[in-house]
Amino acid sequence: MKEELKSEGKYELFTTPDGKEVVNFDNEGYYFFSEENDGVFLSSLDPDPNELNSGATGKYLYVGAKSEDNPRGALYLEDGTEYRKLEFPEGWPTKKEEPAKKVIRSNDRLKKEEILKKMES
């Protein structure tokens, strides 16, 4: 399955006072991670920025299938010299009222060149 780079930019991870993990992309959309019985999910969020404690920052890459029929995608978050991989089997939550999307946290740690090369194969 051929993949393409859907978006890239900068991210910032935050924590809320109650310990939830929140991520912001390009100073625009905020999303929070929630753990439920059947896994980890990502949902859109309108937080109060004054209540967020800043954490890691870096670059991100969002890679998805070239086919519009396949919503599956992978988010790569820069962590030092490598990128951590998060898989989205049901696609990315694009609308505020859209249900949370399942996230599979991978142990894969890749260099940017490796990610771009994988898209070609």
Side-chain angles (χ1 to χ4, degrees), residues 10-16 20-25 30-33 42 52-58 75 77-79 84 86 105:
K10 294 184 180 182
Y11 79 90
E12 186 169 4
L13 282 175
F14 299 92
T15 54
T16 63
K20 290 188 174 134
E21 210 175 22
V22 174
V23 64
N24 171 266
F25 297 101
Y30 287 86
Y31 299 85
F32 78 97
F33 292 93
L42 189 72
L52 299 176
N53 297 315
S54 183
T57 61
L75 177 67
L77 299 176
E78 184 180 46
D79 184 14
R84 292 182 292 140
L86 303 172
R105 294 183 191 232

Side-chain angles (χ1 to χ4, degrees), residues 45-99:
L45 173 72
D46 283 326
D48 178 353
N50 296 323
E51 292 186 4
L52 299 176
N53 297 315
S54 183
T57 61
K59 295 178 183 173
Y60 76 87
L61 304 169
Y62 185 72
V63 176
K66 285 189 176 180
S67 166
E68 294 297 321
D69 299 331
N70 186 350
R72 184 177 194 88
L75 177 67
Y76 297 90
L77 299 176
E78 184 180 46
D79 184 14
T81 61
E82 298 179 315
Y83 285 74
R84 292 182 292 140
K85 181 179 180 183
L86 303 172
E87 296 179 59
F88 291 84
E90 302 164 355
W92 183 263
T94 57
K95 298 179 180 86
K96 292 195 184 302
E97 57 279 344
E98 187 173 17

Side-chain angles (χ1 to χ4, degrees), residues 28-44:
E28 293 177 11
Y30 287 86
Y31 299 85
F32 78 97
F33 292 93
S34 60
E35 293 197 28
E36 299 174 20
N37 291 341
D38 49 348
V40 177
F41 291 81
L42 189 72
S43 304
S44 180

